[in-house]
Amino acid sequence: MPNTCQTIPARFWRGFGDALGVEYVSRVPRPPLDGLIDDLYYLEGTPPYARLMLPPAPAALLIVNLGAPFRIRGGTDIEMAEYADGCVVTMPTCAWEFGYPRWTRSVGVHFKPWGLAPFLPMPAAELCDRPVTVEEVWGRPAIAELRDRLATADGPHEMLTLLEEELLRRLCETAGLGLVRHAASVIAATSGAVAIGDLSAAAGVSSARLAQRFKELIGVTPKRLARTYRFTATVFSINPAQPIDWGDLAAGAGYFDQAHLGHEFREFTGLTPTQYIEVRRRFLREHPGHTLEGWPLPAV
C-alpha cells in the first residue's frame, strides 16, 4: 500500500481551497526545517463546514490565528474551548473536533510526527490529546509580537517567510531526535507494516528505550504510530463512490480480519465503517465533482 499519509492536512485544505473558495497557500520550508515539517501554510476564507472531526493522523500541528477565535474539543474534553492566539497539537490518539469562525485567517505548520519536538519546552507526551494555546508553549510576549508582524505582512508569501524565520530561530537541539526520526521514517515508509522489535534491534536500543524516546518526542509509542499510519493509508485507499468489499480492504491493508478493521474505525473515528463512508458520500452529494480525501470529516 503506498505511503500517502505524510501531508494529510495539506492535501485536505488544498482540495477545499480549489473547490470551495478557501484560499490555501503552502510551501515546504528550506533545510533543516524540511526534515521536520511537511509544509507551512496560509489559510483564509469561509470554511465549507463550521465544525470538522479530525481522526488521529500521523502529524502534529501549530496554528497562529489572525482572525476570530476558533474552538477545539480534544481528547476526553466534554465541551469545546476557544483558542484566540492559535494552538499547538501533538499527534493525537483519538478523534478531536475543530470549529472555525464564519471567516478564518491563520498561518500554520503541518509537522511530521517527530517535527514538533525541537520547538516544545516540555515532553510531547504531556500534550497528548490536550491541545494548548501557542502562548502556553512560547509565552505571551513572543506570540503577541509574532501575530503583530504576521498581521501587517505584505501577503501570504511574506507571512510564510516570517513564520519560517521564527521557527529557524527557535529550533533547538533535541536529544534522541535522530533515533526517533529514523525509526518513525521506516514506519511511515511501510505505512505501519513493520515489526517494532526489528526497529529497536536495528537501532541497537531496547524496545522500552525506543518507546520512551517516542513518547518524549512524538507523544505516542512506536506501535501506536504504526497503527495510525496503517489506518490512515487504509482510509486514503477507499473510493467512496464505489462499492466497498470490507473483507478485501481489511486483508489488503494487513488487518487480521474485517472485525479488526471495524474496531480500528471505531477507535480512530468514533464511527463504524458504514457510518464513516456515509459521511464521505454525503459530502460528495453536497459538493459534486470534488472528492474529500479521507480527513478531516464534517462533524456528525
Side-chain angles (χ1 to χ4, degrees):
M1 185 177 295
N3 176 31
T4 57
C5 317
Q6 291 268 37
T7 55
I8 294 160
R11 289 173 62 184
F12 171 79
W13 273 118
R14 189 175 297 114
F16 261 171
D18 292 344
L20 299 172
V22 176
E23 183 181 5
Y24 184 89
V25 179
S26 74
R27 73 164 185 244
V28 176
R30 64 185 184 270
L33 295 179
D34 60 339
L36 303 170
I37 292 169
D38 280 328
D39 78 336
L40 310 174
Y41 74 88
Y42 169 84
L43 175 68
E44 181 176 5
T46 301
Y49 287 92
R51 288 169 54 241
L52 297 171
M53 187 272 284
L54 296 95
L61 176 67
L62 181 147
I63 301 174
V64 180
N65 187 39
L66 302 173
F70 49 77
R71 305 174 71 206
I72 296 176
R73 184 178 66 82
T76 59
D77 292 346
I78 298 175
E79 297 182 354
M80 300 186 82
E82 282 198 347
Y83 292 75
D85 70 356
C87 69
V88 175
V89 182
T90 58
M91 190 185 133
T93 66
C94 54
W96 53 294
E97 285 186 35
F98 198 104
Y100 282 99
R102 185 173 183 85
W103 183 268
T104 191
R105 185 170 186 249
S106 62
V107 295
V109 187
H110 295 128
F111 289 96
K112 299 177 188 298
W114 57 87
L116 184 58
F119 307 97
L120 292 177
M122 72 284 284
E126 292 185 13
L127 303 184
C128 186
D129 294 325
R130 189 174 70 86
V132 295
T133 65
V134 185
E135 177 184 323
E136 291 178 78
V137 175
W138 286 353
R140 179 176 296 183
I143 186 57
E145 180 187 359
L146 178 60
R147 291 178 74 203
D148 286 344
R149 288 191 288 131
L150 290 169
T152 57
D154 185 20
H157 293 287
E158 182 179 336
M159 295 167 77
L160 296 183
T161 297
L162 288 172
L163 181 58
E164 183 174 6
E165 291 172 350
E166 180 70 15
L167 291 166
L168 284 169
R169 187 178 69 81
R170 289 183 172 275
L171 182 61
C172 295
E173 291 289 332
T174 305
L177 183 61
L179 169 67
V180 170
R181 176 177 172 177
H182 175 74
S185 295
V186 174
I187 292 172
T190 61
S191 296
V194 60
I196 305 304
D198 292 344
L199 288 178
S200 58
V205 298
S206 68
S207 296
R209 180 59 173 167
L210 186 64
Q212 178 188 6
R213 283 299 195 192
F214 263 65
K215 294 201 74 173
E216 290 172 354
L217 303 187
I218 297 179
V220 300
T221 65
K223 182 177 180 180
R224 182 71 195 198
L225 181 65
R227 284 180 60 196
T228 305
Y229 266 110
R230 179 168 65 166
F231 183 75
T232 305
T234 302
V235 167
F236 272 110
S237 73
I238 295 173
N239 181 355
Q242 300 294 327
I244 300 168
D245 186 319
W246 293 105
D248 285 350
L249 182 69
Y255 289 100
F256 180 74
D257 54 22
Q258 185 176 333
H260 187 192
L261 176 60
H263 175 271
E264 294 291 88
F265 259 99
R266 287 187 292 274
E267 180 166 344
F268 278 86
T269 70
L271 305 172
T272 66
T274 301
Q275 290 170 330
Y276 169 84
I277 290 301
E278 177 50 37
V279 172
R280 290 187 64 183
R281 288 175 175 166
R282 186 186 74 192
F283 179 88
L284 290 177
R285 293 193 298 268
E286 294 175 354
H287 303 282
H290 178 66
T291 301
L292 175 62
E293 286 199 274
W295 263 273
L297 292 172
V300 295

